């Protein structure tokens, strides 16, 4: 196990940004797909349309479920970033207290 863990804030933030970008792409794809299905609704009829729409609904539901997973990943990354910032602040406070404690009260 590692004794030291080094976290670069900018890398965590870049990862969050990448997840948000992926979420935007997924949401755009679903909207485009749903719009295409609505356009086909007037052209396709009967059994073929029913089969196709069932597959589309299933696929869209699976993609929408991935939205939640992406949002969970974003939340977890932000929580990790906050945790590391809290730990860093606490350790910095401890070190600052040690520095102050080693100074002579007599100015020497």
């Amino acid at each position: 196990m590692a004794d030291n863990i080094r976290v670069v804030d900018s890398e965590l933030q870049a990862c969050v940004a990448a997840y948000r970008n992926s979420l935007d792409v997924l949401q755009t794809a679903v909207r485009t797909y749903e719009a295409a299905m609505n356009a086909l609704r007037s052209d396709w009829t009967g059994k073929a349309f029913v089969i196709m729409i069932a597959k589309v609904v299933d696929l869209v539901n699976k993609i929408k479920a991935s939205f939640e997973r992406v949002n969970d990943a974003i939340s977890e990354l932000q929580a990790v970033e906050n945790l590391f910032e809290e730990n860093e602040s606490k350790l910095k406070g401890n070190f600052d207290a040690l520095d102050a404690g080693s100074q002579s009260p007599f100015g020497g």
Side-chain angles (χ1 to χ4, degrees):
M1 202 182 314
D3 291 334
N4 296 314
I5 299 174
R6 185 168 185 263
V7 176
V8 180
D9 292 345
S10 61
E11 290 179 6
L12 279 174
Q13 292 164 0
C15 190
V16 168
Y19 271 106
R20 283 196 173 127
N21 185 48
S22 296
L23 182 60
D24 289 342
V25 169
L26 282 171
Q27 290 171 333
T28 300
V30 167
R31 284 192 297 272
T32 302
Y33 200 44
E34 289 174 333
M37 291 314 318
N38 288 331
L40 283 175
R41 189 180 307 265
S42 61
D43 294 338
W44 287 27
T45 58
K47 190 174 183 178
F49 181 76
V50 171
I51 292 170
M52 182 190 58
I53 201 70
K55 289 183 180 185
V56 168
V57 167
D58 182 51
L59 179 61
V60 167
N61 286 336
K62 288 178 182 175
I63 293 172
K64 285 183 178 180
S66 71
F67 292 174
E68 187 176 329
R69 289 192 297 274
V70 172
N71 282 322
D72 286 346
I74 290 170
S75 296
E76 288 177 17
L77 283 169
Q78 290 171 331
V80 166
E81 183 178 14
N82 291 337
L83 178 66
F84 276 99
E85 285 176 5
E86 288 172 13
N87 287 340
E88 184 177 350
S89 294
K90 181 180 175 183
L91 289 173
K92 186 177 182 305
N94 290 344
F95 292 137
D96 288 345
L98 289 174
D99 288 343
S102 63
Q103 295 176 359
S104 171
F106 302 108

